[in-house]
Amino acid sequence: MSDCLFCKIAAGEIPSDTLYEDELCYAFSDIAPQAPSHFLVIPKSHIASVSQIDRNNSALVAHIFEVIAKLTAEKGIGSYRVVSNIGEQAGQSVPHLHFHVLGGRDMTWPPG
Ligand code: AMP
């Protein structure tokens, strides 16, 4: 989508701290980290949020979770939280599917 921030980041049109990239997804450091380790994994194709996952794109989401497992293992992050906010009330500020990966500190439950 031409006016989507994360589409532009995935395409390299806006700079980011790249952690991983393949033909399907892109991982980069969050610009405002909420934990010692905080990165985002996004599909390169535009999907608005988890609410838009269906049988046609769910394999891509499974791939993203494989990448999350690989990156956290490589970084030695043994305990972490994966979060995806859906909609404004839940705190979604960028309408392109993304999974936050947060680690390196104690987490509280329930989240605020
Ligand atoms: P959410 O609020 O769940 O939609 O998450 C969006 C995340 O994107 C926030 O944690 C922001 O800090 C992060 N973010 C926004 N712009 C950038 C950027 N240019 N580079 C890296 N992360 C960003």
Coordinates of all heavy atoms in Angstrom, one line a residue, residues 32-101:
A32 N 11.0 2.8 19.3 CA 10.7 3.2 20.7 C 10.6 2.0 21.6 O 9.5 1.6 22.0 CB 9.4 4.0 20.8
P33 N 11.8 1.4 21.9 CA 11.8 0.1 22.5 C 11.2 0.1 23.9 O 11.4 1.0 24.7 CB 13.3 -0.3 22.6 CG 14.0 1.0 22.4 CD 13.1 1.8 21.5
Q34 N 10.3 -0.9 24.2 CA 9.7 -1.0 25.5 C 10.3 -2.1 26.4 O 9.8 -2.4 27.4 CB 8.2 -1.3 25.3 CG 7.5 -0.3 24.5 CD 7.5 1.1 25.1 OE1 7.2 1.2 26.3 NE2 7.9 2.1 24.4
A35 N 11.4 -2.6 25.9 CA 12.1 -3.7 26.6 C 13.6 -3.7 26.1 O 13.8 -3.1 25.0 CB 11.5 -5.0 26.4
P36 N 14.5 -4.3 26.8 CA 15.9 -4.3 26.3 C 16.0 -4.9 24.9 O 16.8 -4.4 24.1 CB 16.6 -5.2 27.3 CG 15.9 -4.9 28.6 CD 14.4 -4.8 28.2
S37 N 15.2 -5.9 24.6 CA 15.1 -6.4 23.2 C 13.6 -6.1 22.8 O 12.7 -6.6 23.5 CB 15.3 -7.9 23.2 OG 16.7 -8.2 23.5
H38 N 13.5 -5.4 21.7 CA 12.1 -5.1 21.2 C 12.3 -4.9 19.7 O 12.8 -4.0 19.2 CB 11.6 -3.8 21.8 CG 10.1 -3.5 21.4 ND1 9.5 -2.4 21.8 CD2 9.3 -4.2 20.6 CE1 8.2 -2.4 21.3 NE2 8.1 -3.5 20.5
F39 N 11.8 -5.9 19.0 CA 11.8 -5.8 17.5 C 10.4 -6.2 17.0 O 9.6 -6.8 17.7 CB 12.9 -6.6 16.9 CG 12.9 -8.1 17.1 CD1 12.3 -9.0 16.2 CD2 13.6 -8.7 18.2 CE1 12.3 -10.3 16.4 CE2 13.6 -10.1 18.4 CZ 12.9 -10.9 17.5
L40 N 10.2 -5.9 15.7 CA 9.0 -6.1 15.0 C 9.2 -7.1 13.9 O 10.2 -7.0 13.2 CB 8.4 -4.8 14.5 CG 8.2 -3.7 15.5 CD1 7.8 -2.4 14.8 CD2 7.1 -4.1 16.5
V41 N 8.3 -7.9 13.6 CA 8.3 -8.8 12.4 C 7.0 -8.5 11.6 O 5.9 -8.6 12.2 CB 8.5 -10.3 12.8 CG1 8.8 -11.1 11.5 CG2 9.6 -10.5 13.8
I42 N 7.2 -8.2 10.4 CA 6.0 -7.9 9.5 C 6.1 -8.7 8.2 O 7.1 -9.0 7.7 CB 6.1 -6.3 9.2 CG1 7.3 -6.0 8.3 CG2 6.0 -5.5 10.5 CD1 7.3 -4.5 7.8
P43 N 4.9 -8.9 7.7 CA 4.9 -9.5 6.3 C 5.2 -8.3 5.3 O 4.9 -7.2 5.6 CB 3.4 -9.9 6.1 CG 2.6 -9.0 7.0 CD 3.5 -8.7 8.2
K44 N 5.9 -8.7 4.2 CA 6.2 -7.7 3.2 C 4.9 -7.3 2.5 O 4.8 -6.1 2.0 CB 7.2 -8.2 2.2 CG 8.6 -8.3 2.9 CD 9.7 -8.5 1.8 CE 11.1 -8.3 2.4 NZ 12.2 -8.6 1.5
S45 N 4.0 -8.2 2.4 CA 2.7 -7.8 1.7 C 1.8 -7.1 2.7 O 1.9 -7.4 4.0 CB 2.0 -9.1 1.2 OG 1.9 -10.1 2.2
H46 N 1.0 -6.3 2.3 CA 0.1 -5.5 3.2 C -1.1 -6.3 3.7 O -1.9 -6.7 2.9 CB -0.4 -4.2 2.5 CG -1.1 -3.3 3.5 ND1 -0.4 -2.5 4.4 CD2 -2.4 -3.2 3.8 CE1 -1.3 -1.9 5.2 NE2 -2.5 -2.3 4.9
I47 N -1.1 -6.5 5.0 CA -2.2 -7.1 5.7 C -2.4 -6.1 6.9 O -1.5 -5.8 7.6 CB -1.9 -8.5 6.3 CG1 -1.5 -9.5 5.1 CG2 -3.0 -9.1 7.1 CD1 -0.9 -10.8 5.6
A48 N -3.7 -5.7 7.1 CA -4.0 -4.6 8.0 C -3.7 -5.0 9.5 O -3.2 -4.3 10.3 CB -5.4 -4.1 7.8
S49 N -4.1 -6.2 9.8 CA -4.0 -6.7 11.2 C -4.3 -8.2 11.3 O -4.7 -8.8 10.3 CB -4.9 -5.9 12.2 OG -6.2 -6.4 12.0
V50 N -4.2 -8.7 12.5 CA -4.6 -10.1 12.7 C -6.0 -10.4 12.2 O -6.3 -11.5 11.8 CB -4.4 -10.5 14.2 CG1 -5.1 -11.8 14.5 CG2 -3.0 -10.5 14.6
S51 N -6.9 -9.4 12.3 CA -8.3 -9.6 11.9 C -8.4 -9.9 10.4 O -9.5 -10.3 10.0 CB -9.1 -8.4 12.3 OG -8.7 -7.2 11.6
Q52 N -7.3 -9.7 9.7 CA -7.4 -9.9 8.2 C -6.7 -11.3 7.8 O -6.5 -11.5 6.7 CB -6.7 -8.8 7.5 CG -7.4 -7.4 7.7 CD -8.9 -7.5 7.4 OE1 -9.3 -7.9 6.3 NE2 -9.7 -7.1 8.3
I53 N -6.3 -12.1 8.8 CA -5.7 -13.4 8.5 C -6.8 -14.4 8.2 O -7.8 -14.5 8.8 CB -4.9 -13.9 9.8 CG1 -3.7 -12.9 10.0 CG2 -4.3 -15.3 9.5 CD1 -3.0 -13.2 11.4
D54 N -6.5 -15.1 7.1 CA -7.5 -16.1 6.6 C -6.7 -17.2 6.0 O -5.5 -17.2 6.0 CB -8.5 -15.5 5.7 CG -7.9 -14.9 4.4 OD1 -6.8 -15.3 4.0 OD2 -8.5 -14.0 3.8
R55 N -7.4 -18.2 5.4 CA -6.7 -19.4 4.8 C -5.8 -19.0 3.7 O -4.9 -19.8 3.4 CB -7.8 -20.4 4.4 CG -8.6 -20.0 3.2 CD -9.5 -21.1 2.8 NE -10.4 -21.5 3.8 CZ -11.3 -22.5 3.8 NH1 -11.3 -23.3 2.7 NH2 -12.1 -22.7 4.7
N56 N -5.9 -17.9 3.1 CA -5.1 -17.5 2.0 C -3.7 -16.9 2.4 O -2.8 -16.9 1.6 CB -5.8 -16.5 1.1 CG -7.0 -17.0 0.5 OD1 -7.0 -18.1 -0.1 ND2 -8.2 -16.3 0.6
N57 N -3.7 -16.4 3.7 CA -2.4 -15.8 4.1 C -1.9 -16.4 5.4 O -0.8 -15.9 5.9 CB -2.5 -14.3 4.2 CG -3.6 -13.8 5.1 OD1 -4.0 -14.6 6.0 ND2 -4.2 -12.6 4.9
S58 N -2.5 -17.4 6.0 CA -2.1 -17.9 7.3 C -0.8 -18.6 7.3 O -0.1 -18.6 8.3 CB -3.2 -18.8 7.9 OG -3.5 -19.8 7.1
A59 N -0.4 -19.1 6.1 CA 0.9 -19.8 6.0 C 2.0 -18.8 6.2 O 3.1 -19.1 6.8 CB 1.1 -20.5 4.7
L60 N 1.8 -17.6 5.7 CA 2.7 -16.5 5.9 C 2.9 -16.1 7.4 O 4.0 -15.9 7.9 CB 2.2 -15.2 5.2 CG 2.9 -13.9 5.4 CD1 4.3 -13.9 5.0 CD2 2.2 -12.9 4.5
V61 N 1.8 -16.2 8.1 CA 1.9 -15.9 9.6 C 2.7 -17.0 10.3 O 3.5 -16.8 11.2 CB 0.5 -15.8 10.2 CG1 0.5 -15.5 11.7 CG2 -0.3 -14.6 9.5
A62 N 2.4 -18.3 9.9 CA 3.2 -19.4 10.4 C 4.7 -19.2 10.2 O 5.5 -19.4 11.0 CB 2.7 -20.7 9.8
H63 N 5.0 -18.7 9.0 CA 6.4 -18.4 8.6 C 7.0 -17.4 9.5 O 8.1 -17.5 10.0 CB 6.5 -18.0 7.2 CG 7.9 -17.6 6.7 ND1 8.9 -18.5 6.6 CD2 8.4 -16.4 6.5 CE1 10.0 -17.9 6.3 NE2 9.7 -16.6 6.2
I64 N 6.2 -16.3 9.8 CA 6.7 -15.2 10.7 C 7.0 -15.8 12.1 O 8.0 -15.4 12.7 CB 5.6 -14.1 10.7 CG1 5.7 -13.3 9.4 CG2 5.9 -13.2 12.0 CD1 4.6 -12.2 9.3
F65 N 6.2 -16.7 12.5 CA 6.5 -17.3 13.9 C 7.7 -18.2 13.8 O 8.5 -18.3 14.8 CB 5.2 -18.0 14.4 CG 4.3 -17.1 15.1 CD1 3.4 -16.3 14.5 CD2 4.4 -16.9 16.5 CE1 2.6 -15.4 15.1 CE2 3.6 -16.0 17.2 CZ 2.7 -15.2 16.5
E66 N 8.0 -18.8 12.7 CA 9.3 -19.6 12.6 C 10.4 -18.6 12.7 O 11.5 -18.9 13.3 CB 9.3 -20.3 11.2 CG 8.4 -21.5 11.1 CD 8.6 -22.2 9.8 OE1 9.8 -22.3 9.3 OE2 7.6 -22.7 9.3
V67 N 10.3 -17.4 12.0 CA 11.3 -16.4 12.0 C 11.5 -15.9 13.5 O 12.7 -15.7 13.9 CB 11.0 -15.3 11.0 CG1 11.9 -14.1 11.2 CG2 11.1 -15.8 9.6
I68 N 10.4 -15.7 14.2 CA 10.5 -15.2 15.6 C 11.3 -16.2 16.4 O 12.2 -15.9 17.2 CB 9.1 -15.0 16.1 CG1 8.5 -13.7 15.5 CG2 9.2 -14.8 17.7 CD1 7.0 -13.5 15.8
A69 N 11.0 -17.5 16.2 CA 11.7 -18.6 17.0 C 13.2 -18.6 16.6 O 14.1 -18.7 17.5 CB 11.1 -19.9 16.7
K70 N 13.5 -18.4 15.4 CA 14.9 -18.4 14.9 C 15.7 -17.2 15.4 O 16.8 -17.3 16.0 CB 14.9 -18.4 13.4 CG 16.2 -18.2 12.7 CD 16.0 -18.1 11.2 CE 17.0 -17.3 10.4 NZ 18.3 -17.9 10.4
L71 N 15.1 -16.0 15.3 CA 15.8 -14.8 15.7 C 16.0 -14.8 17.2 O 17.1 -14.4 17.7 CB 15.0 -13.6 15.3 CG 15.0 -13.3 13.8 CD1 14.1 -12.0 13.5 CD2 16.4 -13.0 13.3
T72 N 15.0 -15.1 18.0 CA 15.1 -15.1 19.5 C 16.2 -16.2 19.9 O 17.0 -15.9 20.8 CB 13.8 -15.4 20.2 OG1 13.2 -16.5 19.6 CG2 12.9 -14.2 20.0
A73 N 16.2 -17.3 19.2 CA 17.2 -18.3 19.6 C 18.6 -17.8 19.2 O 19.6 -17.9 20.1 CB 16.9 -19.6 18.8
E74 N 18.8 -17.2 18.1 CA 20.1 -16.6 17.7 C 20.5 -15.5 18.7 O 21.7 -15.4 18.9 CB 20.0 -16.0 16.3 CG 20.0 -17.1 15.2 CD 19.8 -16.5 13.8 OE1 19.6 -15.3 13.7 OE2 19.7 -17.3 12.9
K75 N 19.6 -14.8 19.2 CA 19.9 -13.7 20.1 C 20.1 -14.1 21.5 O 20.4 -13.3 22.4 CB 18.9 -12.6 20.0 CG 18.9 -11.8 18.6 CD 17.7 -10.9 18.6 CE 17.8 -10.0 17.3 NZ 19.0 -9.0 17.4
G76 N 19.7 -15.4 21.8 CA 19.8 -15.9 23.1 C 18.7 -15.4 24.0 O 18.9 -15.3 25.3
I77 N 17.6 -15.0 23.4 CA 16.4 -14.5 24.2 C 15.6 -15.7 24.5 O 14.8 -16.2 23.6 CB 15.7 -13.5 23.4 CG1 16.6 -12.3 23.0 CG2 14.5 -12.9 24.3 CD1 15.9 -11.4 22.0
G78 N 15.7 -16.3 25.7 CA 15.0 -17.5 26.0 C 13.5 -17.3 26.5 O 12.7 -18.2 26.4
S79 N 13.3 -16.1 27.0 CA 11.9 -15.8 27.5 C 11.5 -14.5 26.9 O 12.2 -13.5 27.0 CB 11.9 -15.8 29.0 OG 10.6 -15.5 29.5
Y80 N 10.4 -14.5 26.3 CA 10.0 -13.2 25.6 C 8.5 -13.2 25.4 O 7.8 -14.2 25.7 CB 10.7 -13.1 24.3 CG 10.5 -14.3 23.3 CD1 9.5 -14.3 22.4 CD2 11.4 -15.4 23.4 CE1 9.4 -15.3 21.5 CE2 11.2 -16.4 22.6 CZ 10.3 -16.4 21.6 OH 10.1 -17.5 20.8
R81 N 7.9 -12.1 25.0 CA 6.5 -12.0 24.8 C 6.3 -11.5 23.3 O 7.0 -10.7 22.8 CB 5.9 -11.0 25.7 CG 4.4 -10.9 25.6 CD 3.8 -10.0 26.7 NE 3.9 -10.7 28.0 CZ 3.5 -10.2 29.2 NH1 3.1 -9.0 29.2 NH2 3.6 -10.9 30.3
V82 N 5.3 -12.2 22.6 CA 4.9 -11.8 21.3 C 3.6 -11.1 21.4 O 2.6 -11.7 22.0 CB 4.9 -13.0 20.3 CG1 4.5 -12.6 18.9 CG2 6.2 -13.7 20.3
V83 N 3.5 -9.9 20.9 CA 2.2 -9.1 21.0 C 1.8 -8.6 19.6 O 2.7 -8.1 18.9 CB 2.4 -7.9 22.0 CG1 1.2 -7.1 22.0 CG2 2.8 -8.4 23.3
S84 N 0.5 -8.7 19.3 CA 0.0 -8.0 18.2 C -1.2 -7.2 18.6 O -2.2 -7.8 19.1 CB -0.3 -9.0 17.0 OG -0.5 -8.3 15.8
N85 N -1.2 -5.9 18.5 CA -2.3 -5.1 18.8 C -3.3 -5.0 17.6 O -2.8 -4.8 16.5 CB -1.9 -3.7 19.3 CG -1.0 -3.7 20.5 OD1 -1.3 -4.5 21.4 ND2 0.1 -3.0 20.5
I86 N -4.6 -5.1 17.9 CA -5.5 -5.1 16.8 C -6.5 -4.0 17.0 O -7.3 -4.1 18.0 CB -6.3 -6.5 16.6 CG1 -5.3 -7.6 16.3 CG2 -7.3 -6.4 15.5 CD1 -4.9 -8.5 17.4
G87 N -6.5 -3.0 16.2 CA -7.4 -1.9 16.4 C -6.9 -0.8 17.4 O -6.1 -1.1 18.2
E88 N -7.5 0.4 17.3 CA -7.0 1.5 18.1 C -7.2 1.3 19.6 O -6.3 1.7 20.4 CB -7.8 2.8 17.7 CG -7.3 3.4 16.3 CD -8.0 4.6 16.0 OE1 -8.6 5.3 16.8 OE2 -8.0 5.0 14.8
Q89 N -8.3 0.7 20.0 CA -8.5 0.5 21.4 C -7.5 -0.4 22.1 O -7.1 -0.2 23.2 CB -9.9 0.0 21.7 CG -10.3 0.0 23.2 CD -11.7 -0.4 23.5 OE1 -12.3 -1.1 22.7 NE2 -12.2 0.1 24.6
A90 N -7.0 -1.3 21.3 CA -5.9 -2.2 21.8 C -4.5 -1.6 21.6 O -3.6 -2.2 22.0 CB -6.0 -3.6 21.0
G91 N -4.4 -0.5 21.0 CA -3.2 0.2 20.9 C -2.5 0.1 19.6 O -1.3 0.4 19.5
Q92 N -3.2 -0.4 18.5 CA -2.5 -0.5 17.2 C -2.4 0.9 16.6 O -3.4 1.6 16.4 CB -3.3 -1.4 16.3 CG -2.6 -1.6 14.9 CD -3.4 -2.5 14.0 OE1 -4.5 -2.9 14.2 NE2 -2.7 -2.9 12.9
S93 N -1.2 1.3 16.4 CA -0.9 2.7 15.8 C -0.5 2.6 14.3 O -0.6 3.6 13.6 CB 0.1 3.4 16.6 OG 1.3 2.7 16.6
V94 N -0.1 1.4 13.9 CA 0.3 1.3 12.5 C -0.6 0.2 11.9 O -0.5 -1.0 12.3 CB 1.8 0.9 12.3 CG1 2.2 0.7 10.9 CG2 2.7 2.0 13.0
P95 N -1.4 0.5 10.9 CA -2.3 -0.5 10.4 C -1.7 -1.4 9.3 O -2.2 -1.5 8.2 CB -3.5 0.4 9.8 CG -2.8 1.6 9.4 CD -1.7 1.8 10.4
H96 N -0.6 -2.1 9.7 CA 0.0 -3.1 8.9 C 0.4 -4.2 9.9 O 1.1 -3.9 10.9 CB 1.2 -2.5 8.2 CG 2.0 -3.5 7.3 ND1 2.3 -3.3 6.0 CD2 2.6 -4.7 7.6 CE1 3.0 -4.2 5.5 NE2 3.2 -5.1 6.5
L97 N 0.0 -5.4 9.6 CA 0.2 -6.5 10.6 C 1.7 -6.5 11.1 O 2.6 -6.5 10.3 CB -0.1 -7.9 9.9 CG 0.2 -9.1 10.7 CD1 -0.8 -9.2 11.9 CD2 0.0 -10.4 9.9
H98 N 1.8 -6.6 12.4 CA 3.2 -6.7 13.0 C 3.1 -7.4 14.3 O 2.1 -7.3 15.0 CB 3.8 -5.3 13.1 CG 3.0 -4.3 13.8 ND1 2.0 -3.6 13.2 CD2 3.1 -3.8 15.1 CE1 1.4 -2.8 14.1 NE2 2.1 -2.9 15.3
F99 N 4.2 -8.1 14.6 CA 4.3 -8.8 15.8 C 5.5 -8.2 16.6 O 6.6 -8.2 16.1 CB 4.5 -10.3 15.6 CG 3.3 -11.0 14.9 CD1 3.3 -11.1 13.6 CD2 2.2 -11.4 15.7 CE1 2.1 -11.7 13.0 CE2 1.1 -11.9 15.1 CZ 1.1 -12.1 13.7
H100 N 5.1 -7.6 17.8 CA 6.2 -7.1 18.6 C 6.8 -8.4 19.3 O 6.1 -9.3 19.8 CB 5.6 -6.3 19.8 CG 4.9 -5.0 19.3 ND1 5.5 -3.8 19.4 CD2 3.6 -4.8 18.8 CE1 4.6 -2.9 19.0 NE2 3.5 -3.4 18.7
V101 N 8.1 -8.4 19.4 CA 8.8 -9.4 20.2 C 9.6 -8.6 21.3 O 10.5 -7.8 21.0 CB 9.8 -10.2 19.3 CG1 10.5 -11.3 20.2 CG2 9.0 -10.9 18.2

